[in-house]
Amino acid sequence: QVHLQQWGAGLLKPSETLSLTCAVSGVSFSDYYWNWIRQSPGKGLEWIGEIKHSGSTNYNPSLKSRVTISVDTSKNQFSLQVTSVTAADTAVYYCARGTSAIAVRRFDYWGQGTLVTISS
Amino acid sequence: DIVMTQSPDSLAVSLGERATINCRSSQNVLYSSNNQNYLAWYQQKPGQPPKLLIYWASTRESGVPDRFSGSGSGTDFTLSISSLQAEDVAVYYCQQYYGTPPTFGQGTKVEI
C-alpha cells in the first residue's frame, strides 16, 4: 500500500525558511515524480514543484526563486524548502505522488498535510 | 497559466438525485497527438487531502464508485454524481495537467 508521511515545522516567522519532508513507502520510489502542493483559503490548491529520484526538478514559475525540492533516495524521502516566507505562504502543504510520465502531472496519493502558519 | 473556472461554487442536492459540476479551462487541454484531455477531478472532505476520482477527463480511478462520471473535451468538462450519497458531501476540484504549472479550479462544495 502506497503511503506518504510528511512532517516539518508548523509555525514560522516572516523571513524564515520553511522545511518539510515526505517519506514514501509501499511503492518503487524511482518510478514516479514526487510533488509538493499547497492549499490556502486565498489561492486554493497550488502546485509548487516536483522531483524525480534522479534529482531532476521542475518548479512553479511563481515560486521558483524561493523554492528548492531535494531527494534522499537512500531513505525514499523528498523535501521542500521555501525561503523568505511571508504571511502569503501560510497554507496546508501536501506531498503527493505524480505519474511516471514526463509532464503528466496528476496526483493519486497524498500525504496527510501539514499546516504551516507564518506569523510574527 | 491555464485558469480553471468551476461552476457553481456550491450546490445542494437531495439524496439519490444527480449532481452536476462544470469546469472550464482558459485554454484547450486536449492533446491532439494522443487525443487525450489532460483533465482530472478530485474530491476533498474536511481535514483530508484531495482524492483523485477521474483522469483523462472520463477515466475513473480504481475503486471509485461508478456513480461518478466525467465528460467533456477541449475546454468544457463536467463531473456528474448520478445518485448522491451522504458520503459524497465534499468539495470537488478540477485540475488541468496539459500546461505547466498544473492548475486547479476554485472548488465546488456539494451539500445535501
Side-chain angles (χ1 to χ4, degrees):
Chain A
Q1 177 72 338
V2 181
H3 187 64
L4 284 73
Q5 179 73 36
Q6 60 182 100
W7 64 90
L11 180 61
L12 296 172
K13 292 181 168 53
S15 79
E16 292 185 335
T17 296
L18 179 159
S19 293
L20 298 173
T21 298
C22 183
V24 177
S25 59
V27 67
S28 174
F29 188 76
S30 61
D31 285 348
Y32 296 90
Y33 285 85
W34 302 98
N35 296 261
W36 288 100
I37 296 162
R38 68 183 184 180
Q39 185 173 29
S40 62
K43 298 198 75 174
L45 287 158
E46 182 178 29
W47 180 76
I48 300 170
E50 67 184 3
I51 193 164
K52 200 71 159 52
H53 75 287
S54 62
S56 171
T57 54
N58 289 289
Y59 298 123
N60 190 323
S62 69
L63 296 166
K64 186 174 183 177
S65 64
R66 298 191 295 125
V67 168
T68 302
I69 298 176
S70 58
V71 66
D72 184 340
T73 54
S74 67
K75 297 181 179 178
N76 285 1
Q77 294 177 1
F78 63 107
S79 298
L80 170 70
Q81 286 198 325
V82 181
T83 61
S84 305
V85 296
T86 70
D89 295 308
T90 294
V92 177
Y93 286 74
Y94 294 102
C95 57
R97 187 180 84 166
T99 69
S100 57
I102 294 173
V104 179
R105 297 183 180 105
R106 61 176 188 259
F107 315 107
D108 57 357
Y109 288 93
W110 297 62
Q112 78 276 19
T114 300
L115 174 61
V116 177
T117 302
I118 312 301
S119 175
S120 55
Chain B
D1 295 2
I2 298 176
V3 176
M4 307 300 291
T5 304
Q6 293 181 228
S7 62
D9 289 334
S10 65
L11 76 160
V13 178
S14 301
L15 288 172
E17 295 300 304
R18 173 178 291 271
T20 300
I21 301 168
N22 300 302
C23 174
R24 176 166 289 176
S25 58
S26 62
Q27 300 174 35
N28 175 50
V29 299
L30 172 63
Y31 193 35
S32 57
S33 67
N34 61 7
N35 201 37
Q36 292 282 14
N37 287 283
Y38 282 50
L39 191 285
W41 289 96
Y42 298 83
Q43 174 193 66
Q44 187 176 31
K45 297 180 179 179
Q48 297 182 18
K51 173 187 175 183
L52 178 65
L53 295 177
I54 286 171
Y55 56 95
W56 299 133
S58 61
T59 301
R60 264 188 308 274
E61 176 75 336
S62 176
V64 173
D66 61 7
R67 63 180 180 273
F68 291 92
S69 63
S71 63
S73 185
T75 61
D76 290 284
F77 301 90
T78 299
L79 175 70
S80 297
I81 310 172
S82 61
S83 176
L84 193 77
Q85 305 299 303
E87 61 264 32
D88 301 334
V89 169
V91 179
Y92 292 83
Y93 296 92
C94 60
Q95 178 230 329
Q96 66 79 21
Y97 47 102
Y98 182 92
T100 300
T103 50
F104 295 82
Q106 81 278 15
T108 295
K109 186 174 186 178
V110 174
E111 301 171 301
I112 303 291

